[in-house]
């Protein structure tokens, strides 16, 4: 993971907005590895993860005029775009069919048409976000920053707390969320429970 001083990145934000190719290269080198890691964690497919990250960079480059030049970092833009790309991928017809077929095979029962993978994933994400909102003050802040792909070191520095304290908060947050989510999932349909038991909860809980 590459870290830079805010002034260096903010300088390139302006260049990026103005369409300077060297700024594109700068941000590609800065964030590609992190974005790819997140994409691969969700997709478990190297080529697909690479393609999706490439789409993120192309999308932001094409929409660069919308970038706020006052920002000192483009990190939020990149990871928000990646999140949207992942949701769009889950919503695709090819994935919907694959996921439903796999679940039909494993469950040996009928799944209603409205239970597409995108619907399930979005429902799951909504439940996770509601649970995160209930975390106590600083613990919630630490968890949300980590969800936005800030490193342990960055979180500790920005919040002026020890790195071990950050790790402790994250560990405790996961315990609280897993307990909370297990209870919440008990009220939802079988398809959602199967997704939770396989991969989605692992991806959504950092």
């Amino acid at each position: 993971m590459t870290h830079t001083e805010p002034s260096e990145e903010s300088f390139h934000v302006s260049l990026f907005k103005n369409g300077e190719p060297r700024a594109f290269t700068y941000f590609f080198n800065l964030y590609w590895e992190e974005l790819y890691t997140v994409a691969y964690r969700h997709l478990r497919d190297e080529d697909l993860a690479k393609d999706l990250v490439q789409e993120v960079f192309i999308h932001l480059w094409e929409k660069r005029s919308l970038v706020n030049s006052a920002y000192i970092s483009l990190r939020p833009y990149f990871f928000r775009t990646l999140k949207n790309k992942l949701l769009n991928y889950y919503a695709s017809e090819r994935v919907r069919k694959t996921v439903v077929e796999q679940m039909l095979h494993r469950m040996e029962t009928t799944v209603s048409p409205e239970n597409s993978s995108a619907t399930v994933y979005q429902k799951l994400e909504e439940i996770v976000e509601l649970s995160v909102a209930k975390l106590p003050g600083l613990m919630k802040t630490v968890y949300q920053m980590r969800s936005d792909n800030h490193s342990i070191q960055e979180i500790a520095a920005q919040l002026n707390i020890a790195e071990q304290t950050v790790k402790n908060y994250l560990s405790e947050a996961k315990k609280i969320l897993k307990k909370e989510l297990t209870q919440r999932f008990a009220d939802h349909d079988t398809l959602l429970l199967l997704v939770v038991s396989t991969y989605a909860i692992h991806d959504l809980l950092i």
Side-chain angles (χ1 to χ4, degrees):
M1 185 185 303
T2 305
H3 296 283
T4 59
E5 293 297 325
S7 58
E8 180 182 353
E9 185 170 355
S10 61
F11 169 73
H12 283 87
V13 169
S14 178
L15 294 180
F16 187 91
K17 183 177 176 66
N18 291 331
E20 289 281 349
R22 57 177 168 150
F24 180 93
T25 301
Y26 170 85
F27 284 108
F28 185 89
N29 293 334
L30 184 62
Y31 288 125
W32 186 90
E33 184 176 352
E34 282 187 272
L35 291 165
Y36 170 76
T37 299
V38 173
Y40 180 77
R41 182 169 59 116
H42 283 267
L43 302 170
R44 308 295 181 187
D45 183 300
E46 291 184 11
D47 292 336
L48 186 56
K50 289 177 182 177
D51 289 344
L52 205 66
V53 172
Q54 176 129 354
E55 289 179 18
V56 169
F57 280 96
I58 292 173
H59 174 82
L60 284 175
W61 182 249
E62 291 176 344
K63 301 294 183 181
R64 62 187 180 275
S65 63
L66 302 178
V67 170
N68 187 339
S69 56
Y71 277 26
I72 63 172
S73 173
L74 288 186
R75 178 186 291 271
Y77 281 100
F78 279 107
F79 284 96
R80 190 180 305 119
T81 302
L82 176 61
K83 178 180 178 180
N84 290 335
K85 291 289 183 184
L86 285 167
L87 287 173
N88 288 339
Y89 172 79
Y90 283 119
S92 71
E93 185 67 17
R94 180 171 64 85
V95 174
R96 186 190 69 79
K97 288 181 179 179
T98 299
V99 172
V100 171
E101 287 171 1
Q102 289 175 348
M103 290 182 176
L104 279 171
H105 175 73
R106 293 177 62 176
M107 295 166 63
E108 296 182 349
T109 187
T110 303
V111 177
S112 59
E114 66 269 20
N115 280 331
S116 70
S117 59
T119 300
V120 172
Y121 191 89
Q122 289 170 347
K123 184 189 296 183
L124 179 58
E125 187 174 62
E126 289 171 4
I127 293 173
V128 171
E129 289 178 351
L130 287 172
S131 298
V132 169
K134 295 172 63 176
L135 290 173
L138 192 55
M139 182 186 296
K140 178 171 70 175
T141 300
V142 168
Y143 188 89
Q144 290 174 329
M145 290 179 71
R146 185 61 176 155
S147 296
D148 288 336
N149 288 281
H150 289 283
S151 68
I152 300 295
Q153 295 81 2
E154 288 173 337
I155 297 171
Q158 290 188 38
L159 298 180
N160 195 28
I161 57 178
E163 291 181 15
Q164 187 58 51
T165 301
V166 173
K167 294 176 183 178
N168 292 343
Y169 273 133
L170 290 173
S171 177
E172 187 62 25
K174 288 180 184 179
K175 292 178 184 177
I176 293 173
L177 288 172
K178 284 179 181 178
K179 182 177 180 180
E180 167 77 6
L181 294 173
T182 299
Q183 183 61 44
R184 284 178 175 270
F185 293 148
D187 299 326
H188 288 77
D189 58 37
T190 305
L191 179 60
L192 179 58
L193 287 171
L194 182 58
V195 174
V196 171
S197 67
T198 53
Y199 61 88
I201 190 63
H202 175 269
D203 289 338
L204 286 170
L205 292 183
I206 56 175

